[in-house]
mmCIF file of all heavy atoms in Angstrom:
data_model
loop_
_atom_site.group_PDB
_atom_site.id
_atom_site.type_symbol
_atom_site.label_atom_id
_atom_site.label_comp_id
_atom_site.label_asym_id
_atom_site.label_seq_id
_atom_site.Cartn_x
_atom_site.Cartn_y
_atom_site.Cartn_z
ATOM 1 N N ALA Z 11 -15.213 79.450 168.110
ATOM 2 C CA ALA Z 11 -15.652 79.962 169.390
ATOM 3 C C ALA Z 11 -15.270 79.015 170.487
ATOM 4 O O ALA Z 11 -14.898 79.423 171.611
ATOM 5 C CB ALA Z 11 -17.165 80.212 169.349
ATOM 6 N N THR Z 12 -15.363 77.710 170.237
ATOM 7 C CA THR Z 12 -15.077 76.725 171.248
ATOM 8 C C THR Z 12 -13.591 76.711 171.564
ATOM 9 O O THR Z 12 -13.175 76.668 172.755
ATOM 10 C CB THR Z 12 -15.508 75.334 170.744
ATOM 11 O OG1 THR Z 12 -16.942 75.351 170.533
ATOM 12 C CG2 THR Z 12 -15.161 74.225 171.750
ATOM 13 N N ILE Z 13 -12.739 76.722 170.551
ATOM 14 C CA ILE Z 13 -11.280 76.759 170.769
ATOM 15 C C ILE Z 13 -10.895 77.968 171.601
ATOM 16 O O ILE Z 13 -10.149 77.906 172.591
ATOM 17 C CB ILE Z 13 -10.538 76.717 169.472
ATOM 18 C CG1 ILE Z 13 -10.713 75.386 168.730
ATOM 19 C CG2 ILE Z 13 -9.036 76.991 169.684
ATOM 20 C CD1 ILE Z 13 -10.243 75.371 167.304
ATOM 21 N N LEU Z 14 -11.449 79.138 171.194
ATOM 22 C CA LEU Z 14 -11.081 80.388 171.864
ATOM 23 C C LEU Z 14 -11.567 80.437 173.321
ATOM 24 O O LEU Z 14 -10.889 80.929 174.209
ATOM 25 C CB LEU Z 14 -11.630 81.583 171.063
ATOM 26 C CG LEU Z 14 -10.941 81.793 169.726
ATOM 27 C CD1 LEU Z 14 -11.750 82.646 168.831
ATOM 28 C CD2 LEU Z 14 -9.533 82.449 169.934
ATOM 29 N N ARG Z 15 -12.780 79.909 173.579
ATOM 30 C CA ARG Z 15 -13.288 79.977 174.934
ATOM 31 C C ARG Z 15 -12.549 78.936 175.842
ATOM 32 O O ARG Z 15 -12.319 79.197 176.997
ATOM 33 C CB ARG Z 15 -14.794 79.743 175.020
ATOM 34 C CG ARG Z 15 -15.315 78.344 174.743
ATOM 35 C CD ARG Z 15 -15.492 77.492 175.976
ATOM 36 N NE ARG Z 15 -16.499 77.987 176.838
ATOM 37 C CZ ARG Z 15 -16.796 77.400 177.971
ATOM 38 N NH1 ARG Z 15 -16.155 76.306 178.370
ATOM 39 N NH2 ARG Z 15 -17.735 77.896 178.746
ATOM 40 N N GLU Z 16 -12.165 77.815 175.270
ATOM 41 C CA GLU Z 16 -11.404 76.846 176.087
ATOM 42 C C GLU Z 16 -9.956 77.371 176.315
ATOM 43 O O GLU Z 16 -9.369 77.138 177.375
ATOM 44 C CB GLU Z 16 -11.378 75.451 175.449
ATOM 45 C CG GLU Z 16 -12.781 74.806 175.348
ATOM 46 C CD GLU Z 16 -13.392 74.419 176.696
ATOM 47 O OE1 GLU Z 16 -12.941 74.957 177.757
ATOM 48 O OE2 GLU Z 16 -14.322 73.624 176.723
ATOM 49 N N HIS Z 17 -9.395 78.091 175.340
ATOM 50 C CA HIS Z 17 -8.090 78.743 175.510
ATOM 51 C C HIS Z 17 -8.222 79.731 176.632
ATOM 52 O O HIS Z 17 -7.337 79.769 177.530
ATOM 53 C CB HIS Z 17 -7.729 79.426 174.150
ATOM 54 C CG HIS Z 17 -6.479 80.296 174.272
ATOM 55 N ND1 HIS Z 17 -6.528 81.599 174.493
ATOM 56 C CD2 HIS Z 17 -5.163 79.955 174.118
ATOM 57 C CE1 HIS Z 17 -5.275 82.094 174.512
ATOM 58 N NE2 HIS Z 17 -4.471 81.131 174.284
ATOM 59 N N ARG Z 18 -9.227 80.524 176.654
ATOM 60 C CA ARG Z 18 -9.467 81.491 177.736
ATOM 61 C C ARG Z 18 -9.617 80.761 179.069
ATOM 62 O O ARG Z 18 -9.077 81.145 180.095
ATOM 63 C CB ARG Z 18 -10.656 82.368 177.445
ATOM 64 C CG ARG Z 18 -10.913 83.381 178.546
ATOM 65 C CD ARG Z 18 -12.191 84.165 178.363
ATOM 66 N NE ARG Z 18 -12.363 85.101 179.452
ATOM 67 C CZ ARG Z 18 -11.858 86.326 179.514
ATOM 68 N NH1 ARG Z 18 -11.162 86.769 178.504
ATOM 69 N NH2 ARG Z 18 -12.055 87.105 180.561
ATOM 70 N N GLY Z 19 -10.409 79.677 179.075
ATOM 71 C CA GLY Z 19 -10.692 78.971 180.327
ATOM 72 C C GLY Z 19 -9.469 78.314 180.868
ATOM 73 O O GLY Z 19 -9.233 78.352 182.111
ATOM 74 N N ASP Z 20 -8.624 77.777 180.034
ATOM 75 C CA ASP Z 20 -7.362 77.212 180.495
ATOM 76 C C ASP Z 20 -6.481 78.285 181.144
ATOM 77 O O ASP Z 20 -5.825 78.055 182.176
ATOM 78 C CB ASP Z 20 -6.563 76.567 179.344
ATOM 79 C CG ASP Z 20 -7.232 75.288 178.822
ATOM 80 O OD1 ASP Z 20 -7.980 74.662 179.585
ATOM 81 O OD2 ASP Z 20 -6.959 74.920 177.670
ATOM 82 N N GLY Z 21 -6.451 79.469 180.547
ATOM 83 C CA GLY Z 21 -5.721 80.587 181.108
ATOM 84 C C GLY Z 21 -6.322 81.067 182.405
ATOM 85 O O GLY Z 21 -5.569 81.427 183.330
ATOM 86 N N HIS Z 22 -7.624 81.011 182.522
ATOM 87 C CA HIS Z 22 -8.285 81.413 183.748
ATOM 88 C C HIS Z 22 -7.886 80.481 184.889
ATOM 89 O O HIS Z 22 -7.642 80.945 186.032
ATOM 90 C CB HIS Z 22 -9.804 81.351 183.548
ATOM 91 C CG HIS Z 22 -10.578 81.818 184.761
ATOM 92 N ND1 HIS Z 22 -10.498 83.073 185.265
ATOM 93 C CD2 HIS Z 22 -11.502 81.172 185.526
ATOM 94 C CE1 HIS Z 22 -11.312 83.194 186.296
ATOM 95 N NE2 HIS Z 22 -11.910 82.051 186.480
ATOM 96 N N ILE Z 23 -7.748 79.200 184.617
ATOM 97 C CA ILE Z 23 -7.311 78.263 185.661
ATOM 98 C C ILE Z 23 -5.901 78.642 186.109
ATOM 99 O O ILE Z 23 -5.573 78.635 187.290
ATOM 100 C CB ILE Z 23 -7.382 76.832 185.143
ATOM 101 C CG1 ILE Z 23 -8.833 76.419 184.962
ATOM 102 C CG2 ILE Z 23 -6.656 75.873 186.118
ATOM 103 C CD1 ILE Z 23 -8.991 75.064 184.242
ATOM 104 N N ALA Z 24 -5.036 78.970 185.178
ATOM 105 C CA ALA Z 24 -3.678 79.405 185.550
ATOM 106 C C ALA Z 24 -3.689 80.654 186.469
ATOM 107 O O ALA Z 24 -2.948 80.720 187.438
ATOM 108 C CB ALA Z 24 -2.876 79.719 184.271
ATOM 109 N N ALA Z 25 -4.605 81.572 186.137
ATOM 110 C CA ALA Z 25 -4.690 82.784 186.977
ATOM 111 C C ALA Z 25 -5.213 82.413 188.376
ATOM 112 O O ALA Z 25 -4.775 82.989 189.377
ATOM 113 C CB ALA Z 25 -5.648 83.789 186.321
ATOM 114 N N LEU Z 26 -6.156 81.449 188.480
ATOM 115 C CA LEU Z 26 -6.655 81.038 189.782
ATOM 116 C C LEU Z 26 -5.543 80.354 190.598
ATOM 117 O O LEU Z 26 -5.440 80.578 191.802
ATOM 118 C CB LEU Z 26 -7.830 80.090 189.593
ATOM 119 C CG LEU Z 26 -9.112 80.680 189.044
ATOM 120 C CD1 LEU Z 26 -10.109 79.611 188.687
ATOM 121 C CD2 LEU Z 26 -9.764 81.656 190.029
ATOM 122 N N LEU Z 27 -4.718 79.558 189.922
ATOM 123 C CA LEU Z 27 -3.627 78.929 190.622
ATOM 124 C C LEU Z 27 -2.628 79.926 191.139
ATOM 125 O O LEU Z 27 -2.149 79.781 192.286
ATOM 126 C CB LEU Z 27 -2.926 77.923 189.670
ATOM 127 C CG LEU Z 27 -3.731 76.669 189.288
ATOM 128 C CD1 LEU Z 27 -3.054 75.904 188.129
ATOM 129 C CD2 LEU Z 27 -3.868 75.772 190.498
ATOM 130 N N VAL Z 28 -2.296 80.916 190.352
ATOM 131 C CA VAL Z 28 -1.393 81.955 190.807
ATOM 132 C C VAL Z 28 -1.963 82.693 191.996
ATOM 133 O O VAL Z 28 -1.279 83.076 192.970
ATOM 134 C CB VAL Z 28 -1.094 82.941 189.639
ATOM 135 C CG1 VAL Z 28 -0.349 84.137 190.183
ATOM 136 C CG2 VAL Z 28 -0.275 82.250 188.548
ATOM 137 N N ALA Z 29 -3.306 82.883 192.001
ATOM 138 C CA ALA Z 29 -3.958 83.576 193.100
ATOM 139 C C ALA Z 29 -4.145 82.670 194.355
ATOM 140 O O ALA Z 29 -4.545 83.160 195.396
ATOM 141 C CB ALA Z 29 -5.362 84.039 192.641
ATOM 142 N N GLY Z 30 -3.746 81.398 194.243
ATOM 143 C CA GLY Z 30 -3.874 80.497 195.368
ATOM 144 C C GLY Z 30 -5.297 80.091 195.702
ATOM 145 O O GLY Z 30 -5.640 79.852 196.871
ATOM 146 N N LEU Z 31 -6.140 80.017 194.681
ATOM 147 C CA LEU Z 31 -7.557 79.643 194.863
ATOM 148 C C LEU Z 31 -7.748 78.232 194.322
ATOM 149 O O LEU Z 31 -7.631 77.986 193.128
ATOM 150 C CB LEU Z 31 -8.455 80.631 194.128
ATOM 151 C CG LEU Z 31 -8.438 82.058 194.629
ATOM 152 C CD1 LEU Z 31 -9.210 82.997 193.684
ATOM 153 C CD2 LEU Z 31 -9.004 82.161 196.050
ATOM 154 N N ASP Z 32 -8.095 77.324 195.196
ATOM 155 C CA ASP Z 32 -8.328 75.945 194.803
ATOM 156 C C ASP Z 32 -9.710 75.879 194.117
ATOM 157 O O ASP Z 32 -10.449 76.898 194.084
ATOM 158 C CB ASP Z 32 -8.196 74.951 195.927
ATOM 159 C CG ASP Z 32 -9.266 75.085 197.002
ATOM 160 O OD1 ASP Z 32 -10.402 75.575 196.735
ATOM 161 O OD2 ASP Z 32 -9.017 74.657 198.159
ATOM 162 N N PRO Z 33 -10.136 74.710 193.552
ATOM 163 C CA PRO Z 33 -11.409 74.702 192.817
ATOM 164 C C PRO Z 33 -12.629 75.249 193.543
ATOM 165 O O PRO Z 33 -13.389 76.037 192.988
ATOM 166 C CB PRO Z 33 -11.538 73.218 192.498
ATOM 167 C CG PRO Z 33 -10.133 72.746 192.341
ATOM 168 C CD PRO Z 33 -9.383 73.462 193.420
ATOM 169 N N VAL Z 34 -12.846 74.833 194.752
ATOM 170 C CA VAL Z 34 -14.048 75.282 195.464
ATOM 171 C C VAL Z 34 -13.856 76.727 195.972
ATOM 172 O O VAL Z 34 -14.804 77.534 195.924
ATOM 173 C CB VAL Z 34 -14.455 74.338 196.646
ATOM 174 C CG1 VAL Z 34 -13.354 74.285 197.724
ATOM 175 C CG2 VAL Z 34 -15.798 74.708 197.232
ATOM 176 N N GLU Z 35 -12.650 77.072 196.329
ATOM 177 C CA GLU Z 35 -12.392 78.475 196.728
ATOM 178 C C GLU Z 35 -12.584 79.437 195.547
ATOM 179 O O GLU Z 35 -13.025 80.588 195.735
ATOM 180 C CB GLU Z 35 -10.950 78.621 197.219
ATOM 181 C CG GLU Z 35 -10.713 77.977 198.555
ATOM 182 C CD GLU Z 35 -9.232 77.929 198.905
ATOM 183 O OE1 GLU Z 35 -8.392 78.311 198.081
ATOM 184 O OE2 GLU Z 35 -8.893 77.462 200.058
ATOM 185 N N SER Z 36 -12.304 78.995 194.323
ATOM 186 C CA SER Z 36 -12.515 79.845 193.179
ATOM 187 C C SER Z 36 -14.026 80.201 193.029
ATOM 188 O O SER Z 36 -14.333 81.327 192.681
ATOM 189 C CB SER Z 36 -12.053 79.119 191.895
ATOM 190 O OG SER Z 36 -12.888 78.065 191.490
ATOM 191 N N LEU Z 37 -14.912 79.256 193.353
ATOM 192 C CA LEU Z 37 -16.323 79.514 193.248
ATOM 193 C C LEU Z 37 -16.815 80.395 194.446
ATOM 194 O O LEU Z 37 -17.573 81.323 194.229
ATOM 195 C CB LEU Z 37 -17.090 78.197 193.260
ATOM 196 C CG LEU Z 37 -16.821 77.250 192.083
ATOM 197 C CD1 LEU Z 37 -17.701 76.032 192.198
ATOM 198 C CD2 LEU Z 37 -17.016 77.942 190.731
ATOM 199 N N VAL Z 38 -16.366 80.058 195.621
ATOM 200 C CA VAL Z 38 -16.767 80.816 196.812
ATOM 201 C C VAL Z 38 -16.340 82.259 196.707
ATOM 202 O O VAL Z 38 -17.123 83.193 196.952
ATOM 203 C CB VAL Z 38 -16.186 80.173 198.112
ATOM 204 C CG1 VAL Z 38 -16.509 81.062 199.307
ATOM 205 C CG2 VAL Z 38 -16.761 78.766 198.320
ATOM 206 N N SER Z 39 -15.137 82.492 196.268
ATOM 207 C CA SER Z 39 -14.637 83.865 196.115
ATOM 208 C C SER Z 39 -15.360 84.620 195.027
ATOM 209 O O SER Z 39 -15.562 85.844 195.108
ATOM 210 C CB SER Z 39 -13.122 83.868 195.851
ATOM 211 O OG SER Z 39 -12.822 83.224 194.642
ATOM 212 N N PHE Z 40 -15.778 83.922 193.945
ATOM 213 C CA PHE Z 40 -16.500 84.544 192.857
ATOM 214 C C PHE Z 40 -17.897 84.903 193.258
ATOM 215 O O PHE Z 40 -18.424 85.961 192.944
ATOM 216 C CB PHE Z 40 -16.471 83.581 191.632
ATOM 217 C CG PHE Z 40 -16.476 84.261 190.315
ATOM 218 C CD1 PHE Z 40 -15.924 85.510 190.153
ATOM 219 C CD2 PHE Z 40 -16.970 83.631 189.192
ATOM 220 C CE1 PHE Z 40 -15.899 86.157 188.882
ATOM 221 C CE2 PHE Z 40 -16.945 84.241 187.917
ATOM 222 C CZ PHE Z 40 -16.427 85.493 187.790
ATOM 223 N N ALA Z 41 -18.558 84.011 194.003
ATOM 224 C CA ALA Z 41 -19.900 84.290 194.517
ATOM 225 C C ALA Z 41 -19.831 85.478 195.492
ATOM 226 O O ALA Z 41 -20.770 86.290 195.534
ATOM 227 C CB ALA Z 41 -20.452 83.030 195.257
ATOM 228 N N ALA Z 42 -18.762 85.597 196.208
ATOM 229 C CA ALA Z 42 -18.654 86.653 197.228
ATOM 230 C C ALA Z 42 -18.590 88.047 196.622
ATOM 231 O O ALA Z 42 -18.841 89.031 197.305
ATOM 232 C CB ALA Z 42 -17.427 86.394 198.087
ATOM 233 N N ILE Z 43 -18.179 88.163 195.334
ATOM 234 C CA ILE Z 43 -18.203 89.459 194.668
ATOM 235 C C ILE Z 43 -19.409 89.707 193.854
ATOM 236 O O ILE Z 43 -19.517 90.665 193.089
ATOM 237 C CB ILE Z 43 -16.919 89.694 193.832
ATOM 238 C CG1 ILE Z 43 -16.846 88.734 192.655
ATOM 239 C CG2 ILE Z 43 -15.642 89.569 194.692
ATOM 240 C CD1 ILE Z 43 -15.772 89.117 191.628
ATOM 241 N N GLY Z 44 -20.368 88.742 193.906
ATOM 242 C CA GLY Z 44 -21.669 88.911 193.212
ATOM 243 C C GLY Z 44 -21.697 88.459 191.784
ATOM 244 O O GLY Z 44 -22.538 88.852 191.001
ATOM 245 N N ALA Z 45 -20.696 87.592 191.408
ATOM 246 C CA ALA Z 45 -20.686 87.094 190.010
ATOM 247 C C ALA Z 45 -21.911 86.291 189.674
ATOM 248 O O ALA Z 45 -22.395 86.302 188.526
ATOM 249 C CB ALA Z 45 -19.434 86.266 189.778
ATOM 250 N N ALA Z 46 -22.439 85.568 190.679
ATOM 251 C CA ALA Z 46 -23.683 84.795 190.512
ATOM 252 C C ALA Z 46 -24.116 84.384 191.936
ATOM 253 O O ALA Z 46 -23.362 84.551 192.900
ATOM 254 C CB ALA Z 46 -23.494 83.574 189.627
ATOM 255 N N SER Z 47 -25.312 83.884 192.025
ATOM 256 C CA SER Z 47 -25.810 83.452 193.363
ATOM 257 C C SER Z 47 -25.104 82.203 193.840
ATOM 258 O O SER Z 47 -24.576 81.412 193.013
ATOM 259 C CB SER Z 47 -27.286 83.178 193.263
ATOM 260 O OG SER Z 47 -27.552 82.096 192.405
ATOM 261 N N VAL Z 48 -25.092 82.025 195.133
ATOM 262 C CA VAL Z 48 -24.499 80.790 195.708
ATOM 263 C C VAL Z 48 -25.260 79.587 195.148
ATOM 264 O O VAL Z 48 -24.614 78.555 194.865
ATOM 265 C CB VAL Z 48 -24.557 80.825 197.237
ATOM 266 C CG1 VAL Z 48 -24.179 79.512 197.846
ATOM 267 C CG2 VAL Z 48 -23.681 81.965 197.785
ATOM 268 N N GLU Z 49 -26.546 79.712 195.000
ATOM 269 C CA GLU Z 49 -27.331 78.587 194.454
ATOM 270 C C GLU Z 49 -26.877 78.185 193.086
ATOM 271 O O GLU Z 49 -26.806 76.994 192.736
ATOM 272 C CB GLU Z 49 -28.826 78.930 194.432
ATOM 273 C CG GLU Z 49 -29.483 79.088 195.820
ATOM 274 C CD GLU Z 49 -29.068 80.347 196.519
ATOM 275 O OE1 GLU Z 49 -28.625 81.329 195.861
ATOM 276 O OE2 GLU Z 49 -29.199 80.380 197.764
ATOM 277 N N ARG Z 50 -26.525 79.155 192.237
ATOM 278 C CA ARG Z 50 -26.026 78.799 190.918
ATOM 279 C C ARG Z 50 -24.708 78.086 191.000
ATOM 280 O O ARG Z 50 -24.437 77.133 190.289
ATOM 281 C CB ARG Z 50 -25.867 80.090 190.118
ATOM 282 C CG ARG Z 50 -25.247 79.922 188.721
ATOM 283 C CD ARG Z 50 -26.083 79.011 187.835
ATOM 284 N NE ARG Z 50 -27.411 79.572 187.562
ATOM 285 C CZ ARG Z 50 -28.331 78.986 186.793
ATOM 286 N NH1 ARG Z 50 -28.053 77.799 186.232
ATOM 287 N NH2 ARG Z 50 -29.536 79.496 186.632
ATOM 288 N N PHE Z 51 -23.830 78.500 191.899
ATOM 289 C CA PHE Z 51 -22.537 77.817 192.012
ATOM 290 C C PHE Z 51 -22.664 76.458 192.636
ATOM 291 O O PHE Z 51 -21.794 75.623 192.433
ATOM 292 C CB PHE Z 51 -21.579 78.697 192.835
ATOM 293 C CG PHE Z 51 -21.031 79.900 192.099
ATOM 294 C CD1 PHE Z 51 -21.406 81.155 192.437
ATOM 295 C CD2 PHE Z 51 -20.147 79.737 191.002
ATOM 296 C CE1 PHE Z 51 -20.907 82.261 191.745
ATOM 297 C CE2 PHE Z 51 -19.698 80.827 190.338
ATOM 298 C CZ PHE Z 51 -20.046 82.102 190.684
ATOM 299 N N GLU Z 52 -23.719 76.210 193.383
ATOM 300 C CA GLU Z 52 -23.923 74.901 193.977
ATOM 301 C C GLU Z 52 -24.084 73.825 192.903
ATOM 302 O O GLU Z 52 -23.968 72.657 193.174
ATOM 303 C CB GLU Z 52 -25.130 74.910 194.913
ATOM 304 C CG GLU Z 52 -24.849 75.646 196.261
ATOM 305 C CD GLU Z 52 -26.072 75.740 197.128
ATOM 306 O OE1 GLU Z 52 -27.201 75.533 196.614
ATOM 307 O OE2 GLU Z 52 -25.912 76.064 198.301
ATOM 308 N N SER Z 53 -24.437 74.235 191.662
ATOM 309 C CA SER Z 53 -24.541 73.262 190.598
ATOM 310 C C SER Z 53 -23.272 72.566 190.255
ATOM 311 O O SER Z 53 -23.286 71.543 189.539
ATOM 312 C CB SER Z 53 -25.092 73.951 189.335
ATOM 313 O OG SER Z 53 -24.161 74.868 188.773
ATOM 314 N N ARG Z 54 -22.149 73.040 190.778
ATOM 315 C CA ARG Z 54 -20.859 72.425 190.500
ATOM 316 C C ARG Z 54 -20.579 71.237 191.432
ATOM 317 O O ARG Z 54 -19.499 70.621 191.286
ATOM 318 C CB ARG Z 54 -19.704 73.467 190.631
ATOM 319 C CG ARG Z 54 -19.816 74.580 189.596
ATOM 320 C CD ARG Z 54 -19.617 74.093 188.193
ATOM 321 N NE ARG Z 54 -19.896 75.066 187.177
ATOM 322 C CZ ARG Z 54 -18.974 75.654 186.383
ATOM 323 N NH1 ARG Z 54 -17.706 75.320 186.567
ATOM 324 N NH2 ARG Z 54 -19.321 76.482 185.466
ATOM 325 N N GLY Z 55 -21.491 70.891 192.312
ATOM 326 C CA GLY Z 55 -21.418 69.640 193.006
ATOM 327 C C GLY Z 55 -20.688 69.605 194.324
ATOM 328 O O GLY Z 55 -20.504 68.522 194.950
#
């Protein structure tokens, strides 16, 4: 499960890069579609 989820996560980063979303933009844009609350994303520092 760990290998498969990290494989997916690495691919997700590639998709974010193609979309032109930097690390903080990836969170802001995800919060903006209701994936989770802004407060939850603030845990990323």
Side-chain angles (χ1 to χ4, degrees):
T12 299
I13 294 168
L14 290 162
R15 73 92 65 181
E16 297 293 18
H17 173 266
R18 180 186 179 86
D20 289 337
H22 183 60
I23 292 171
L26 291 170
L27 290 169
V28 170
L31 296 171
D32 69 24
V34 65
E35 290 169 355
S36 72
L37 300 183
V38 174
S39 63
F40 212 26
I43 65 168
S47 65
V48 172
E49 290 74 21
R50 176 60 63 179
F51 286 111
E52 286 175 345
S53 68
R54 296 294 172 111

